[in-house]
Amino acid sequence: MSDLPRRAVTRSAKLASLPLGFAGRTALGVGKRTLGKPAEMVALEIQQRTAEQLFKVLGELKGGAMKLGQMLSIFEAALPPEIAGPYRATLTRLQEAAPPLPATAVHKVLAEGLGENWRDDFAEFDDRPAAAASIGQVHRAVWKDGRQVAVKVQYPGAGKALISDFNQLARIGKLFGVLMPGLDVKSMLAELKERVVEELDYTIEAESQRRVRAAYPADDPDFYIPEVVAQAGNVLVTEWIDGVPLSKIIAEGDAETRDHVALLYCRFLLSGPKRSGLLHGDPHPGNFRLLEDGRLGVLDFGAVDRIPPDFQYRMGRLLRIGTLEGIDTIEKALRDEDFIREGVRVEAEELQAFLAPITEPFVEDTFRFSREWLRDMAARVTDLRPTNVVRQLNLPPEYVIVHRVLSAGTGVLCQLECEIPARAESLRWVPGFADESDAELVGS
């Protein structure tokens, strides 16, 4: 992390620059309107410049700001390609360029967590990290009983940096409102902060992984969840699994393999809440492996969302209404769930035109996810005109991680260019999606 801004003063100054820039652009906009420039054109210009500065600053910081930038896919989706493209490239470059934690620092974290004699727990330990992320890195090792294990070590100071960034970002939440006027930004930021605080706690991650493994035992025909071997402090030791990364299947897999993996990937994300009460909150391709026996191995349970049965049913019912009912019923359901906040008006025809393609995968017996379809979806939300209905929609706090998973998961399925029975999987695993007759057909 040494090549990225770390000092509190530097980080605070960068984040503080955001509202100052917004104030300057707003004043400039007032001046342009006074000179006769169309108000809509001025508003669009302010939104685009605000978005550009916002993501530029977030992309330059590692910690809470960078993680927030990664998580807020709803904002990225609402940006034109000329802004979102460089932003994505910045995040990728930062992650790839992040220097590994020195071995001495890794050993210190291990000693703090496992004790001064931590080496006694391992037959072998590789000081070179096998993988790195925004708040920690993973080392390969051999546990004292001979098992191959993955040792997750959190960066010293990562927690403090994350919380500091979120506290700063909470003060400038109105900037996000410029991009999405219908959004309750304050509540969404509070939810994101709570989830990230949990992600810092490896005790919670270990508990979540054990819970998911209990719901998907070792003899599960479709999935394999690595066993938690040990956890203490900022150290988490889990079983190591080998397999073909999902990213490699996306790049090189044949159609049959891509369809097989896509079906399991979709099934895991949909079945998680019903089987374990948890939703895997980071469906990045790097967290999935195709094992030799054809099963899907799943990694990283730091970001999860607890989905109680009543909320599962509400989500399923909303999805069913969106696929089967008329637009008036759909709008009422969206208002009931606070996707359309009180006092916000939307045009029914625009709402219907926006939602219809999104519900397509759950209408037909099988659906082909493709990059072309995803580009069409993206085009519907990258239009920053004030009349675009997506800008009037809210994202209720309890749906924040659900939205993240739905967006990212759909993106992965489209990268796989697959054809799968998404509707049948929803009928089987999502309570509330099937009506009584459907439930009888699928045996749920």
Side-chain angles (χ1 to χ4, degrees), residues 166-342:
F166 267 94
N167 289 338
Q168 287 281 350
L169 289 163
R171 299 188 184 105
I172 58 172
K174 67 178 182 180
L175 283 176
F176 296 100
V178 174
L179 302 178
M180 308 288 284
L183 193 66
D184 180 4
V185 177
K186 184 177 180 180
S187 296
M188 191 182 71
L189 287 176
E191 173 69 15
L192 286 172
K193 180 178 178 179
E194 185 176 339
R195 295 284 81 80
V196 170
V197 168
E198 286 190 358
E199 192 171 347
L200 287 164
D201 190 336
Y202 284 179
T203 302
I204 296 178
E205 179 172 353
E207 291 174 354
S208 297
Q209 187 159 341
R210 290 188 181 105
R211 182 171 169 179
V212 176
R213 182 176 167 86
Y216 299 86
D219 60 352
D220 189 275
D222 295 325
F223 308 104
Y224 189 81
I225 312 300
E227 182 181 359
V228 175
V229 176
Q231 187 280 316
N234 291 327
V235 179
L236 174 61
V237 183
T238 62
E239 182 184 4
W240 181 280
I241 60 172
D242 286 308
V244 181
L246 190 54
S247 56
K248 186 172 183 180
I249 295 172
I250 289 172
E252 304 173 6
D254 57 38
E256 183 179 358
T257 302
R258 285 187 280 110
D259 285 350
H260 170 70
V261 170
L263 179 60
L264 293 182
Y265 177 83
C266 177
R267 181 173 295 165
F268 180 76
L269 296 180
L270 291 176
S271 67
K274 185 175 181 178
R275 293 183 64 171
S276 68
L278 299 177
L279 176 67
H280 191 292
D282 190 8
H284 185 277
N287 291 331
F288 298 85
R289 302 281 189 276
L290 178 61
L291 308 184
E292 285 188 4
D293 60 10
R295 291 187 293 175
L296 193 65
V298 186
L299 308 172
D300 197 342
F301 294 86
V304 301
D305 201 11
R306 291 153 194 80
I307 312 291
D310 63 321
F311 184 38
Q312 293 180 38
Y313 181 83
R314 283 164 48 205
M315 286 193 301
R317 178 178 174 275
L318 187 63
L319 181 60
R320 176 164 57 86
I321 289 173
T323 58
L324 299 176
E325 304 293 341
I327 192 59
D328 291 339
T329 305
I330 293 173
E331 182 178 340
K332 182 181 184 304
L334 289 172
R335 289 189 182 278
D336 289 344
E337 290 292 322
D338 204 33
F339 279 94
I340 304 175
R341 298 167 69 191
E342 186 176 354

Side-chain angles (χ1 to χ4, degrees), residues 368-383:
R368 179 166 181 76
F369 291 88
S370 66
R371 287 180 172 84
E372 182 181 4
W373 178 78
L374 186 63
R375 282 193 294 269
D376 182 53
M377 292 301 96
R380 293 174 181 272
V381 295
T382 54
D383 182 354

Side-chain angles (χ1 to χ4, degrees), residues 62 94-101 129-139 152-153 155 300:
K62 193 151 184 156
L94 280 173
Q95 284 203 312
E96 291 177 347
L101 201 62
S134 56
I135 62 173
Q137 61 192 40
V138 177
H139 292 257
K152 193 172 182 179
V153 178
Y155 296 131
D300 197 342

Side-chain angles (χ1 to χ4, degrees), residues 39-40 56-57 73 84 93 130 133 176 187 192 202 271 275 286 290 307 316 330 344 368 413 417 425 433-434 441:
E40 183 174 319
K56 181 177 185 293
V57 172
S73 58
R93 190 164 58 251
F176 296 100
S187 296
L192 286 172
Y202 284 179
S271 67
R275 293 183 64 171
L290 178 61
I307 312 291
I330 293 173
V344 174
R368 179 166 181 76
L413 291 173
E417 296 276 355
E425 291 298 311
F433 180 67
L441 287 174

